[in-house]
Amino acid sequence: MKKPLTYISLFSSAGVGCYGFKLNGFECIATNELLTKRLKIQAFNNKCKYDSGYIDGDITKQEVKQKLLNELVFWQEKHKIKTPDVLIATPPCQGMSVANHKKNDEISRNSLVVESIKLTNKILPKYFVFENVRAFLNTTCTDIDGVVKPIKEAIKYNLGGSYNILYKIVNFKEYGSNSSRTRTLVIGVRKDIPNITPYDIFPKKQKSKTLRQLIGDLPSLTQMGEISNDIFHSYREFDQRMLPWIENLEEGQSAFENSEPERIPHRIINGEVVYNKSKNGDKYARWYWDKEGPCVHTRNDILASQNTVHPSDNRVFSIRELMRMLSIPESFEWSHIKTEKLNKFTELEKKTFLKKEELNIRHCLGEAVPTGVFKNIASNIKKANKNESLSLSQIKSLEEEFKLNETDNIVSFIKSNFKNYSLDNIFLIAEHSNSERLKTSAYFTRKDIAYSVIKDLPELKKKKKIRILEPSVGVGNFIPLLFEKYENKDEVILDVCDIDNNSLQILKTILSKIKVPKNFKINFKHTDFLLWNCKTKYDIVVGNPPYGKVTKNKELLDLYKFKAQNSNTNNIFSFFIEKSLRLGNYVSLIVPKSLLNAPEFNKTRDVLKSCDLKKICDYGEKAFKGVKIETVSFLCSSSVSTSDKVIIESYIKNSYKEESKDYIFSDEFPYWLIYRDASFDNVVSKMKLDIFNSFRDRQITKSITQNKGKVRVLKSRNIGNNEVKEIDGYDCYIDEIEELAVSKFYNESDVVMVPNLTYYPRASFLPKNTITDGSVALLTLKNGSRLPTEQDLEFYSTEEFENYYRVARNYGTRSLNIDNNSVFFFGLLKEITE
């Protein structure tokens, strides 16, 4: 049985926006609204499958929250879902809206946003959608930690570890509504969902209709109180003395622009005329026929609200007109009595119904997210869920069938089959089929990972024209994300480089099949980026450089090192980092995680540290499909560091936090510790560090060992906690050791053995008549340190040291060799010394 698409809705009012999800076949698990009369409207539209899903009351109260969580558990058990697909939250916005002139201290109210954050964190839906007013993100709230901070910061630091998030201020008239309404949308996609980004979920642009196109077919209403054949298209009554104020207005005019004093809004107080004040300039204002509808406010029932006067009739807009502006279909019901039946009521029954229900309906409309906007989002989620990535075996089959090892065949395949595959799969096929990619050490960057690289790039709001460089573009899977990121710039010059001309030919073919935005100009550079004589300064350099090493071509390596500050490496990505920093104001690259700690990148880290390093994101092994390599990305401004903070984002720990640079990059330690915390510091305080040198054998292989012999060769599994283990079928021996470098430790005292490449440290002393292979690191004391004891070695096997050691190794899984940097963290207990 196919599992349904599901959602939870918070602060849902009458469910007008969520109706767009219902129209797309989503099932509502639970919906919460404070006011029962509005929640009932959702029930009239059969929003929830079960009556228990309608939850009224204050969501900040534990009993209300528990009802919602219980409903989720019920669905998990009955319908076998793990988590909801979507959580929608549209918390009250009175404290943020510029239209509210009666603001007081709204911080506690705005902290209803935090309830949305808490529930999102607890429920962990695949996607979340927060909607609110334009000022939403910069408005302060009382966060979970009790600290008052901007709402954007609260969302980012509480949810940024588990979600890729997009924050965007838009006018809904461009995204599925027919009325002008500037709002904030925040969309999150859980990081364990591959190849889907918030851009995929974000509503697509749609051209809105003018009022003439939208409501021009509805009959004119000229008599106050008049009700048409449609009960929701009626002339709402108002004080007759106001009629002269609006009856002569032209489209776009306000009653305050009347030249005759008696037609200017006023009151009579003690026999004197007191003119009303016009704060926004849009009160008692007649709207235009040939524009999209105005913003629909809560008080759309009165002339004194903003832009509520019909373009030609002397009245406020009817409910039906407002519904069309908000893209609410006629199938939406406002009562337990169907509209079809209401329309058959007598005139008196209709008036009675409207007297009782109209204000609530109008207030619900003023609070509503346009149905079309959420319908647009729901449709995108459905589409994204269906868009599964091809497996490596499927790609291999395509390669064999269409002979995709040749570039010409890849190009032909893309031209002929572009509509048969999603763009993501086209990129995947192209990258994996390109036979040159292994020669150039290029790896395919999944779309969601690419998004995490570009999401925190600066908006560069003051610049209308910007220049971007991608120094190792491959087949270009970063490019569509750059289109989205900088869609509002007047001009974007994008220079793309690659040493592999095959990749560039494939990229050109792909770009010919998609819509390249008019504001983008793309220049292709077939060149070795590291040898490219480029004098252009770029605003942004972004991408995924190659990770290979130059091992045979000494002349090429010397050229790469010519301007490099770090000449202690032959790894290409290090040279890419330095050149990118010379060319770009902002640089964001994905690189091997060894950058954080390997001795060969000590100088590269110094270069980055001297700049303004803004973010490090740790992917562990999650970035590349089918490639066992740990990676991180960084975002850096090439200017001298001005900020004392750096963002640390982790796919391993599902965390997103801000840390002090002095703390993370402390000179107390040999390399960067991006997971450093108080418990780590506590262990540091117990030990004297930097007291060992390390050695690992590189010579002993299976070919020179045997089952019996003169000297026992110990391996990592032989090491226990202050003991050496004998393991049948595992132990090995060797006869001659004089030619081995490890022989210098033979029968030396106080040499400590620890297993290499492990998160579970343990140690014992090297016994007499033994040596070790490369799976074991030998630790010898530096001058001046006391001798280690069994108590010191015992500490290495404790859970406390294990957790400390994970932090010391930055939670690495592959870059765990014990080298001259990492040996620093094996210390001796101070209490013994003292």
Side-chain angles (χ1 to χ4, degrees):
M1 182 178 174
K2 189 176 180 181
K3 293 177 183 176
L5 289 167
T6 58
Y7 70 100
I8 287 174
S9 183
L10 305 177
F11 312 103
S12 50
S13 187
V16 169
C18 302
Y19 195 68
F21 279 84
K22 180 179 174 65
L23 293 173
N24 270 285
F26 282 70
E27 294 273 12
C28 182
I29 291 173
T31 179
N32 168 250
E33 166 56 32
L34 182 64
L35 300 177
T36 304
K37 63 181 179 181
R38 295 182 185 173
L39 192 64
K40 283 182 178 179
I41 295 173
Q42 299 185 46
F44 301 153
N45 289 283
N46 300 312
K47 180 175 177 177
C48 293
K49 192 180 189 77
Y50 305 103
D51 289 344
S52 52
Y54 301 104
I55 300 168
D56 59 355
D58 184 350
I59 196 65
T60 64
K61 298 196 180 323
Q62 185 56 39
E63 61 270 22
V64 176
K65 200 177 301 181
Q66 194 58 51
K67 284 182 182 179
L68 186 144
L69 295 173
N70 290 345
E71 197 64 20
L72 175 58
V73 171
F74 169 74
W75 271 76
Q76 288 170 331
E77 292 174 352
K78 185 173 180 64
H79 296 282
K80 308 304 178 188
I81 66 166
K82 291 182 179 179
T83 61
D85 291 281
V86 194
L87 183 143
I88 304 160
T90 55
C93 62
Q94 282 88 338
M96 313 172 207
S97 174
V98 294
N100 177 22
H101 302 292
K102 300 178 181 178
K103 296 179 190 177
N104 294 308
D105 180 9
E106 289 284 351
I107 287 177
S108 60
R109 185 181 185 96
N110 292 340
S111 294
L112 288 173
V113 175
V114 179
E115 294 301 325
S116 307
I117 293 171
K118 286 179 182 177
L119 281 165
T120 303
N121 235 339
K122 187 174 185 64
I123 294 169
L124 288 177
K126 292 180 181 177
Y127 313 98
F128 71 79
V129 180
F130 294 169
E131 183 273 348
N132 221 293
V133 296
R134 182 182 192 130
F136 179 61
L137 297 175
N138 293 324
T139 305
T140 53
C141 69
T142 306
D143 197 4
I144 293 168
D145 57 7
V147 177
V148 174
K149 63 186 69 164
I151 287 171
K152 184 176 182 179
E153 300 292 300
I155 295 172
K156 185 162 52 174
Y157 293 117
N158 286 296
L159 298 177
S162 299
Y163 291 88
N164 277 319
I165 306 173
L166 175 63
Y167 312 84
K168 208 164 183 181
I169 297 171
V170 297
N171 194 319
F172 278 167
K173 70 179 183 181
E174 298 178 327
Y175 294 91
S177 180
N178 294 297
S179 71
S180 179
R181 187 168 189 160
T182 302
R183 305 289 284 185
T184 299
L185 275 177
V186 183
I187 292 183
V189 178
R190 213 170 60 202
K191 287 179 178 176
D192 63 341
I193 303 173
N195 279 314
I196 299 178
T197 78
Y199 287 134
D200 298 311
I201 307 307
F202 203 84
K204 301 299 181 272
K205 285 193 172 182
Q206 300 177 10
K207 186 173 177 59
S208 61
K209 295 179 180 179
T210 66
L211 270 193
R212 196 182 301 278
Q213 295 169 321
L214 191 68
I215 65 171
D217 63 312
L218 295 176
S220 176
L221 302 172
T222 57
Q223 298 299 314
M224 198 171 290
E226 181 182 355
I227 303 174
S228 73
N229 292 333
D230 176 2
I231 190 172
F232 296 117
H233 183 52
S234 63
Y235 189 140
R236 178 167 173 77
E237 296 185 28
F238 58 88
D239 190 338
Q240 279 281 60
R241 70 186 181 88
M242 297 181 181
L243 183 59
W245 303 352
I246 65 166
E247 62 183 354
N248 293 336
L249 294 179
E250 300 290 335
E251 292 178 27
Q253 269 194 319
S254 164
F256 290 97
E257 297 176 61
N258 281 318
S259 57
E260 301 167 71
E262 64 273 16
R263 293 185 181 274
I264 296 173
H266 62 272
R267 292 167 292 162
I268 306 295
I269 301 177
N270 296 326
E272 291 189 13
V273 176
V274 178
Y275 291 103
N276 297 354
K277 292 182 179 179
S278 174
K279 292 184 179 178
N280 288 350
D282 52 9
K283 295 179 181 293
Y284 302 98
R286 190 182 295 283
W287 197 244
Y288 307 84
W289 270 121
D290 294 314
K291 287 187 177 181
E292 69 283 333
C295 181
V296 179
H297 296 281
T298 308
R299 293 311 310 269
N300 56 75
D301 58 302
I302 57 175
L303 299 174
S305 191
Q306 296 106 309
N307 298 313
T308 56
V309 183
H310 187 274
S312 53
D313 293 352
N314 294 323
R315 57 176 176 83
V316 296
F317 290 106
S318 71
I319 289 172
R320 182 64 67 200
E321 289 166 338
L322 295 173
M323 286 177 68
R324 290 192 182 183
M325 291 181 208
L326 294 170
S327 55
I328 305 171
E330 293 192 8
S331 59
F332 190 89
E333 299 289 353
W334 292 106
S335 168
H336 67 285
I337 307 170
K338 300 293 184 188
T339 305
E340 184 180 3
K341 189 172 180 180
L342 287 173
N343 287 335
K344 294 177 181 178
F345 276 15
T346 65
E347 192 77 7
L348 179 59
E349 287 173 328
K350 288 179 180 179
K351 286 182 180 293
T352 302
F353 173 85
L354 290 173
K355 185 175 182 180
K356 181 181 178 183
E357 303 293 346
E358 183 172 8
L359 274 182
N360 182 44
I361 293 171
R362 285 180 173 273
H363 291 170
C364 290
L365 288 169
E367 293 176 354
V369 179
T371 306
V373 175
F374 274 2
K375 183 182 177 184
N376 197 336
I377 292 172
S379 177
N380 290 341
I381 291 173
K382 282 179 70 176
K383 183 178 178 182
N385 278 6
K386 290 178 181 177
N387 182 20
E388 293 185 5
S389 295
L390 294 172
S391 67
L392 294 180
S393 61
Q394 288 173 313
I395 294 171
K396 188 70 178 173
S397 295
L398 289 172
E399 288 176 8
E400 292 172 357
E401 181 181 353
F402 294 96
K403 297 181 173 56
L404 299 181
N405 58 317
E406 297 180 17
T407 302
D408 288 345
N409 291 342
I410 298 175
V411 169
S412 296
F413 177 86
I414 293 170
K415 288 179 178 179
S416 303
N417 294 277
F418 192 82
K419 292 183 179 180
N420 299 331
Y421 297 91
S422 68
L423 179 59
D424 308 325
N425 279 326
I426 288 289
F427 278 128
L428 198 58
I429 293 166
E431 186 72 45
H432 280 280
S433 300
N434 182 5
S435 59
E436 292 297 312
R437 72 182 186 88
L438 293 178
K439 296 179 185 177
T440 58
S441 301
Y443 299 112
F444 176 76
T445 314
R446 230 172 49 214
K447 184 167 65 170
D448 55 301
I449 299 296
Y451 178 82
S452 74
V453 176
I454 67 104
K455 68 182 179 184
D456 289 321
L457 287 173
E459 299 290 341
L460 302 172
K461 292 180 180 178
K462 294 182 179 180
K463 300 193 74 171
K464 294 183 178 180
K465 176 181 176 180
I466 63 171
R467 300 188 76 102
I468 302 175
L469 171 66
E470 193 172 347
S472 181
V473 71
V475 297
N477 46 323
F478 278 83
I479 292 178
L481 297 173
L482 292 171
F483 289 165
E484 296 275 9
K485 177 79 176 180
Y486 295 107
E487 65 174 349
N488 294 324
K489 291 295 175 189
D490 287 355
E491 184 178 2
V492 180
I493 297 172
L494 174 59
D495 290 345
V496 296
C497 290
D498 209 282
I499 197 170
D500 174 23
N501 195 44
N502 292 333
S503 289
L504 291 178
Q505 293 306 312
I506 294 166
L507 170 57
K508 289 176 183 178
T509 305
I510 293 173
L511 290 176
S512 72
K513 292 290 185 177
I514 65 177
K515 186 177 181 181
V516 177
K518 292 180 180 179
N519 64 325
F520 269 75
K521 180 183 178 183
I522 303 177
N523 300 311
F524 301 89
K525 313 284 184 183
H526 175 213
T527 184
D528 182 337
F529 171 70
L530 296 176
L531 302 180
W532 180 33
N533 183 21
C534 176
K535 297 180 181 179
T536 303
K537 189 71 174 178
Y538 291 90
D539 296 290
I540 290 165
V541 180
V542 64
N544 180 16
Y547 301 163
K549 296 180 179 181
V550 181
T551 55
K552 298 178 180 179
N553 191 335
K554 185 179 183 303
E555 183 180 351
L556 181 64
L557 182 60
D558 288 341
L559 288 172
Y560 285 173
K561 288 183 176 182
F562 179 63
K563 289 187 178 181
Q565 293 183 55
N566 184 7
S567 58
N568 297 328
T569 183
N570 62 354
N571 205 310
I572 295 172
F573 84 82
S574 178
F575 305 132
F576 262 77
I577 289 173
E578 289 196 42
K579 185 163 185 178
S580 296
L581 288 170
R582 292 196 297 272
L583 294 180
N585 293 326
Y586 290 90
V587 176
S588 189
L589 301 174
I590 304 180
V591 296
K593 189 172 178 175
S594 54
L595 169 71
L596 299 181
N597 56 274
E600 69 175 298
F601 303 121
N602 287 349
K603 288 187 178 180
T604 308
R605 288 193 294 277
D606 287 340
V607 171
L608 284 166
K609 192 175 170 184
S610 68
C611 301
D612 191 3
L613 194 55
K614 296 182 177 297
K615 188 185 87 165
I616 296 172
C617 182
D618 181 11
Y619 306 104
E621 293 186 35
K622 298 183 179 183
F624 301 122
K625 189 174 184 178
V627 181
K628 296 187 180 300
I629 184 170
E630 291 183 281
T631 54
V632 296
S633 66
F634 67 86
L635 172 60
C636 186
S637 167
S638 59
S639 60
V640 176
S641 181
T642 55
S643 170
D644 61 353
K645 300 288 186 181
V646 60
I647 298 296
I648 305 297
E649 182 177 359
S650 173
Y651 275 60
I652 298 171
K653 301 278 285 181
N654 291 331
S655 59
Y656 190 101
K657 61 182 181 177
E658 187 177 59
E659 291 285 4
S660 163
K661 288 181 179 177
D662 289 341
Y663 187 67
I664 297 298
F665 308 141
S666 172
D667 291 335
E668 295 177 54
F669 305 104
Y671 53 74
W672 297 348
L673 299 173
I674 63 173
Y675 295 104
R676 185 179 173 187
D677 58 15
S679 61
F680 172 88
D681 293 340
N682 183 52
V683 174
V684 168
S685 70
K686 295 180 179 182
M687 291 191 298
K688 181 181 179 183
L689 301 177
D690 194 22
I691 52 101
F692 287 118
N693 291 311
S694 72
F695 172 86
R696 283 196 309 113
D697 169 80
R698 298 293 198 280
Q699 295 173 285
I700 298 177
T701 62
K702 286 184 178 180
S703 63
I704 64 172
T705 61
Q706 53 207 31
N707 294 332
K708 294 181 179 180
K710 297 177 182 178
V711 179
R712 185 180 179 188
V713 180
L714 298 175
K715 295 182 284 186
S716 59
R717 287 172 56 197
N718 293 121
I719 301 172
N721 178 13
N722 276 318
E723 65 174 336
V724 175
K725 299 178 180 180
E726 294 186 5
I727 304 172
D728 289 341
Y730 179 75
D731 292 349
C732 61
Y733 298 83
I734 196 167
D735 288 329
E736 302 296 331
I737 66 169
E738 287 77 12
E739 301 298 319
L740 302 175
V742 73
S743 65
K744 63 186 175 184
F745 300 102
Y746 185 67
N747 288 335
E748 286 289 318
S749 61
D750 303 312
V751 177
V752 176
M753 300 186 297
V754 292
N756 195 47
L757 295 174
T758 182
Y759 261 148
Y760 303 100
R762 53 199 186 276
S764 65
F765 289 106
L766 179 68
K768 299 294 183 184
N769 302 318
T770 63
I771 57 173
T772 58
D773 73 359
S775 68
V776 176
L778 296 177
L779 310 187
T780 56
L781 284 171
K782 292 183 176 180
N783 293 332
S785 297
R786 69 166 174 82
L787 297 177
T789 67
E790 288 192 355
Q791 187 178 344
D792 290 309
L793 273 52
E794 179 86 26
F795 184 55
Y796 296 161
S797 294
T798 63
E799 184 179 351
E800 184 181 20
F801 188 88
E802 178 189 322
N803 292 332
Y804 152 87
Y805 191 64
R806 286 176 182 268
V807 174
R809 303 313 304 266
N810 284 311
Y811 282 83
T813 53
R814 296 192 173 273
S815 52
L816 285 175
N817 284 320
I818 296 174
D819 53 32
N820 289 329
N821 273 354
S822 55
V823 72
F824 175 95
F825 295 98
F826 288 91
L828 299 180
L829 291 165
K830 288 180 179 178
E831 62 184 28
I832 298 177
T833 304
E834 295 165 355

